[in-house]
Amino acid sequence: MECTDMTQPETSEFGKSCRNSIIFCSLMLVVAIIVAAVLPAKDTASSIPIVSASTETENEIAADFGVMIEEAGFTATRAVSGDEGLALYRQPSSRGAVEWFYLHVTGNRDITMAILEEAEKNNIPLSLAFALAYTESRYNVNAVNRNKNASVDRGLFQLNNRSFPQLEEDDFFNPAVSAKYGMSHLRFCMNVAGNEVTALAMYNAGTTKVRSNNTPQSTLVYVGKIMAYREKLDRLFAEEVSPYFDSSRQMSGVSVAFLGNRKFDR
């Protein structure tokens, strides 16, 4: 093979073409490096859907929904451990007065006892439990609502047949069964949400919609109705029951008789 002197100018068309291609590719590489260094990296984190139920994510969701409900005029948080109704219901000396009060609220002993017992088991404030039942069914154990997705809500706490497939149709209209599953589901929502208002939104719209910040406006109205009715119950309870109790004393028979003669107007 004949050796070529590399110091001499290259005159063939092929050589010129190769040289020009190398120069062009080198220039494009330099340009690409410069562009990559100047332009900011794309933020892809914001496009990732929420798929976990971590505490951090839940707090963010609660804060977002909290802005909505605070603008509507009520707060997103409320203490559960200090609920006066629950405290008095758990004391033998005052349990009867609490039962009396809520019996006059619902007008039905079976409904009253079912809600009281399940609210106490799940550590749910009594006024919140009764306000939820009133908003869902007006304390009507036979209430039925057919949804656009062909599912059906039934009973005192309007349990959905798709959410509770293990229940027979008659179970939905049993106040004890409805209260059992309604209160346990509300407790689940409260544990997930971290506050009562967001929990009520989850009870109505589902945890998925609330977690993904797709809570419908109708749910805000729904929550507002519950909280307004609850405030009325709390106010009446403070007037009709609380003044007759002292944590250091038992309720006297005279006080019980006096309460029994008081009229409660819903």
Side-chain angles (χ1 to χ4, degrees):
M1 177 180 296
E2 183 180 358
C3 294
T4 305
D5 185 359
M6 300 298 295
T7 60
Q8 294 180 358
E10 190 174 10
T11 59
S12 69
E13 292 296 329
F14 178 76
K16 291 180 180 179
S17 177
C18 292
R19 183 178 57 194
N20 292 337
S21 296
I22 293 173
I23 294 174
F24 177 77
C25 292
S26 299
L27 289 175
M28 291 301 297
L29 179 61
V30 172
V31 171
I33 294 174
I34 294 174
V35 170
V38 173
L39 292 180
K42 182 180 179 180
D43 183 10
T44 57
S46 60
S47 64
I48 300 175
I50 298 172
V51 295
S52 65
S54 66
T55 303
E56 180 179 0
T57 299
E58 289 160 8
N59 290 339
E60 291 174 357
I61 295 167
D64 292 338
F65 189 74
V67 172
M68 293 175 61
I69 59 92
E70 285 173 4
E71 291 176 351
F74 47 93
T75 179
T77 58
R78 187 183 180 106
V80 176
S81 58
D83 181 68
E84 183 180 21
L86 270 179
L88 293 177
Y89 181 70
R90 286 167 173 165
Q91 295 177 12
S93 61
S94 52
R95 179 185 293 260
V98 177
E99 293 175 351
W100 167 89
F101 176 82
Y102 282 108
L103 175 59
H104 284 72
V105 170
T106 69
N108 184 287
R109 182 168 182 80
D110 290 339
I111 291 174
T112 300
M113 297 308 298
I115 298 175
L116 285 173
E117 290 172 5
E118 295 303 327
E120 194 275 333
K121 288 178 183 177
N122 290 279
N123 198 36
I124 293 173
L126 301 185
S127 59
L128 177 63
F130 280 87
L132 175 61
Y134 176 80
T135 304
E136 287 287 352
S137 66
R138 297 299 191 271
Y139 304 127
N140 179 8
V141 297
N142 297 313
V144 175
N145 179 61
R146 301 186 184 280
N147 303 307
K148 293 181 179 179
N149 62 1
S151 65
V152 183
D153 300 327
R154 297 184 177 97
L156 184 62
F157 283 95
Q158 290 291 279
L159 304 182
N160 185 272
N161 65 313
R162 292 184 180 177
S163 299
F164 300 92
Q166 72 274 29
L167 297 180
E168 299 292 337
E169 185 170 353
D170 290 344
D171 292 335
F172 290 97
F173 302 113
N174 184 325
V177 175
S178 187
K180 175 182 178 180
Y181 286 93
M183 290 293 91
S184 62
H185 183 60
L186 179 59
R187 167 45 58 192
F188 166 79
C189 293
M190 292 171 69
N191 291 342
V192 171
N195 68 76
E196 296 171 2
V197 171
T198 308
L200 292 173
M202 290 181 173
Y203 189 98
N204 177 253
T207 56
T208 301
K209 284 186 178 180
V210 178
R211 281 177 172 175
S212 58
N213 294 324
N214 289 322
T215 307
Q217 183 67 26
S218 60
T219 296
L220 180 62
V221 176
Y222 164 88
V223 172
K225 290 179 179 179
I226 294 175
M227 299 305 288
Y229 187 81
R230 180 188 185 179
E231 291 298 327
K232 182 178 180 180
L233 287 179
D234 284 338
R235 184 175 67 254
L236 288 170
F237 191 88
E239 295 173 357
E240 299 287 341
V241 180
S242 300
Y244 304 98
F245 292 94
D246 186 326
S247 59
S248 62
R249 291 168 31 182
Q250 290 188 347
M251 189 177 187
S252 68
V254 175
S255 297
V256 172
F258 179 76
L259 279 173
N261 292 326
R262 298 296 296 275
K263 181 181 179 182
F264 179 81
D265 184 10
R266 287 204 301 265

PDB file of all heavy atoms in Angstrom, residues 101-113:
ATOM      1  N   PHE A 101     -81.907  13.997  75.600  1.00  0.00           N
ATOM      2  CA  PHE A 101     -81.737  15.121  74.680  1.00  0.00           C
ATOM      3  C   PHE A 101     -81.827  14.669  73.230  1.00  0.00           C
ATOM      4  O   PHE A 101     -82.605  15.215  72.435  1.00  0.00           O
ATOM      5  CB  PHE A 101     -80.393  15.807  74.947  1.00  0.00           C
ATOM      6  CG  PHE A 101     -80.084  16.921  73.978  1.00  0.00           C
ATOM      7  CD1 PHE A 101     -80.614  18.184  74.160  1.00  0.00           C
ATOM      8  CD2 PHE A 101     -79.258  16.700  72.874  1.00  0.00           C
ATOM      9  CE1 PHE A 101     -80.335  19.221  73.258  1.00  0.00           C
ATOM     10  CE2 PHE A 101     -78.974  17.719  71.977  1.00  0.00           C
ATOM     11  CZ  PHE A 101     -79.509  18.986  72.171  1.00  0.00           C
ATOM     12  N   TYR A 102     -81.052  13.650  72.876  1.00  0.00           N
ATOM     13  CA  TYR A 102     -81.021  13.233  71.479  1.00  0.00           C
ATOM     14  C   TYR A 102     -82.270  12.444  71.072  1.00  0.00           C
ATOM     15  O   TYR A 102     -82.606  12.393  69.877  1.00  0.00           O
ATOM     16  CB  TYR A 102     -79.743  12.443  71.196  1.00  0.00           C
ATOM     17  CG  TYR A 102     -78.552  13.366  71.039  1.00  0.00           C
ATOM     18  CD1 TYR A 102     -77.568  13.449  72.021  1.00  0.00           C
ATOM     19  CD2 TYR A 102     -78.434  14.182  69.915  1.00  0.00           C
ATOM     20  CE1 TYR A 102     -76.484  14.315  71.879  1.00  0.00           C
ATOM     21  CE2 TYR A 102     -77.360  15.053  69.771  1.00  0.00           C
ATOM     22  CZ  TYR A 102     -76.398  15.113  70.757  1.00  0.00           C
ATOM     23  OH  TYR A 102     -75.342  15.992  70.620  1.00  0.00           O
ATOM     24  N   LEU A 103     -82.985  11.872  72.045  1.00  0.00           N
ATOM     25  CA  LEU A 103     -84.269  11.258  71.732  1.00  0.00           C
ATOM     26  C   LEU A 103     -85.254  12.323  71.268  1.00  0.00           C
ATOM     27  O   LEU A 103     -86.057  12.089  70.344  1.00  0.00           O
ATOM     28  CB  LEU A 103     -84.817  10.530  72.962  1.00  0.00           C
ATOM     29  CG  LEU A 103     -86.227   9.923  72.827  1.00  0.00           C
ATOM     30  CD1 LEU A 103     -86.261   8.912  71.679  1.00  0.00           C
ATOM     31  CD2 LEU A 103     -86.658   9.275  74.136  1.00  0.00           C
ATOM     32  N   HIS A 104     -85.190  13.500  71.869  1.00  0.00           N
ATOM     33  CA  HIS A 104     -86.046  14.605  71.451  1.00  0.00           C
ATOM     34  C   HIS A 104     -85.572  15.218  70.136  1.00  0.00           C
ATOM     35  O   HIS A 104     -86.338  15.903  69.473  1.00  0.00           O
ATOM     36  CB  HIS A 104     -86.101  15.671  72.545  1.00  0.00           C
ATOM     37  CG  HIS A 104     -86.973  15.300  73.706  1.00  0.00           C
ATOM     38  ND1 HIS A 104     -86.605  14.338  74.624  1.00  0.00           N
ATOM     39  CD2 HIS A 104     -88.205  15.733  74.089  1.00  0.00           C
ATOM     40  CE1 HIS A 104     -87.568  14.206  75.526  1.00  0.00           C
ATOM     41  NE2 HIS A 104     -88.552  15.030  75.221  1.00  0.00           N
ATOM     42  N   VAL A 105     -84.338  14.967  69.764  1.00  0.00           N
ATOM     43  CA  VAL A 105     -83.833  15.446  68.473  1.00  0.00           C
ATOM     44  C   VAL A 105     -84.361  14.577  67.338  1.00  0.00           C
ATOM     45  O   VAL A 105     -84.855  15.080  66.327  1.00  0.00           O
ATOM     46  CB  VAL A 105     -82.282  15.444  68.463  1.00  0.00           C
ATOM     47  CG1 VAL A 105     -81.755  15.710  67.057  1.00  0.00           C
ATOM     48  CG2 VAL A 105     -81.738  16.493  69.425  1.00  0.00           C
ATOM     49  N   THR A 106     -84.272  13.266  67.500  1.00  0.00           N
ATOM     50  CA  THR A 106     -84.662  12.350  66.418  1.00  0.00           C
ATOM     51  C   THR A 106     -86.126  11.931  66.488  1.00  0.00           C
ATOM     52  O   THR A 106     -86.730  11.621  65.462  1.00  0.00           O
ATOM     53  CB  THR A 106     -83.804  11.077  66.455  1.00  0.00           C
ATOM     54  OG1 THR A 106     -84.134  10.304  67.628  1.00  0.00           O
ATOM     55  CG2 THR A 106     -82.322  11.413  66.464  1.00  0.00           C
ATOM     56  N   GLY A 107     -86.673  11.874  67.696  1.00  0.00           N
ATOM     57  CA  GLY A 107     -88.042  11.402  67.858  1.00  0.00           C
ATOM     58  C   GLY A 107     -88.176   9.895  67.769  1.00  0.00           C
ATOM     59  O   GLY A 107     -89.290   9.370  67.731  1.00  0.00           O
ATOM     60  N   ASN A 108     -87.047   9.168  67.767  1.00  0.00           N
ATOM     61  CA  ASN A 108     -87.078   7.713  67.631  1.00  0.00           C
ATOM     62  C   ASN A 108     -85.987   7.110  68.510  1.00  0.00           C
ATOM     63  O   ASN A 108     -84.804   7.437  68.350  1.00  0.00           O
ATOM     64  CB  ASN A 108     -86.878   7.309  66.172  1.00  0.00           C
ATOM     65  CG  ASN A 108     -86.995   5.820  65.942  1.00  0.00           C
ATOM     66  OD1 ASN A 108     -86.116   5.047  66.316  1.00  0.00           O
ATOM     67  ND2 ASN A 108     -88.084   5.403  65.313  1.00  0.00           N
ATOM     68  N   ARG A 109     -86.392   6.214  69.410  1.00  0.00           N
ATOM     69  CA  ARG A 109     -85.421   5.658  70.346  1.00  0.00           C
ATOM     70  C   ARG A 109     -84.402   4.756  69.657  1.00  0.00           C
ATOM     71  O   ARG A 109     -83.209   4.791  69.974  1.00  0.00           O
ATOM     72  CB  ARG A 109     -86.135   4.868  71.449  1.00  0.00           C
ATOM     73  CG  ARG A 109     -85.175   4.299  72.482  1.00  0.00           C
ATOM     74  CD  ARG A 109     -85.870   3.767  73.707  1.00  0.00           C
ATOM     75  NE  ARG A 109     -84.894   3.274  74.677  1.00  0.00           N
ATOM     76  CZ  ARG A 109     -84.198   4.038  75.509  1.00  0.00           C
ATOM     77  NH1 ARG A 109     -84.381   5.350  75.495  1.00  0.00           N
ATOM     78  NH2 ARG A 109     -83.314   3.522  76.343  1.00  0.00           N
ATOM     79  N   ASP A 110     -84.840   3.915  68.720  1.00  0.00           N
ATOM     80  CA  ASP A 110     -83.916   3.002  68.032  1.00  0.00           C
ATOM     81  C   ASP A 110     -82.828   3.778  67.289  1.00  0.00           C
ATOM     82  O   ASP A 110     -81.647   3.414  67.334  1.00  0.00           O
ATOM     83  CB  ASP A 110     -84.679   2.102  67.066  1.00  0.00           C
ATOM     84  CG  ASP A 110     -85.552   1.084  67.784  1.00  0.00           C
ATOM     85  OD1 ASP A 110     -85.276   0.802  68.966  1.00  0.00           O
ATOM     86  OD2 ASP A 110     -86.503   0.574  67.164  1.00  0.00           O
ATOM     87  N   ILE A 111     -83.239   4.833  66.609  1.00  0.00           N
ATOM     88  CA  ILE A 111     -82.280   5.662  65.876  1.00  0.00           C
ATOM     89  C   ILE A 111     -81.323   6.345  66.843  1.00  0.00           C
ATOM     90  O   ILE A 111     -80.099   6.367  66.635  1.00  0.00           O
ATOM     91  CB  ILE A 111     -83.021   6.706  65.018  1.00  0.00           C
ATOM     92  CG1 ILE A 111     -83.765   6.018  63.878  1.00  0.00           C
ATOM     93  CG2 ILE A 111     -82.048   7.752  64.480  1.00  0.00           C
ATOM     94  CD1 ILE A 111     -84.643   6.954  63.071  1.00  0.00           C
ATOM     95  N   THR A 112     -81.876   6.898  67.908  1.00  0.00           N
ATOM     96  CA  THR A 112     -81.054   7.611  68.891  1.00  0.00           C
ATOM     97  C   THR A 112     -80.001   6.700  69.503  1.00  0.00           C
ATOM     98  O   THR A 112     -78.809   7.048  69.557  1.00  0.00           O
ATOM     99  CB  THR A 112     -81.942   8.182  70.008  1.00  0.00           C
ATOM    100  OG1 THR A 112     -82.884   9.097  69.431  1.00  0.00           O
ATOM    101  CG2 THR A 112     -81.108   8.902  71.053  1.00  0.00           C
ATOM    102  N   MET A 113     -80.412   5.527  69.959  1.00  0.00           N
ATOM    103  CA  MET A 113     -79.482   4.622  70.623  1.00  0.00           C
ATOM    104  C   MET A 113     -78.440   4.081  69.651  1.00  0.00           C
ATOM    105  O   MET A 113     -77.274   3.898  70.016  1.00  0.00           O
ATOM    106  CB  MET A 113     -80.245   3.478  71.278  1.00  0.00           C
ATOM    107  CG  MET A 113     -81.195   3.925  72.384  1.00  0.00           C
ATOM    108  SD  MET A 113     -80.400   4.971  73.639  1.00  0.00           S
ATOM    109  CE  MET A 113     -79.174   3.838  74.303  1.00  0.00           C
TER     110      MET A 113
END
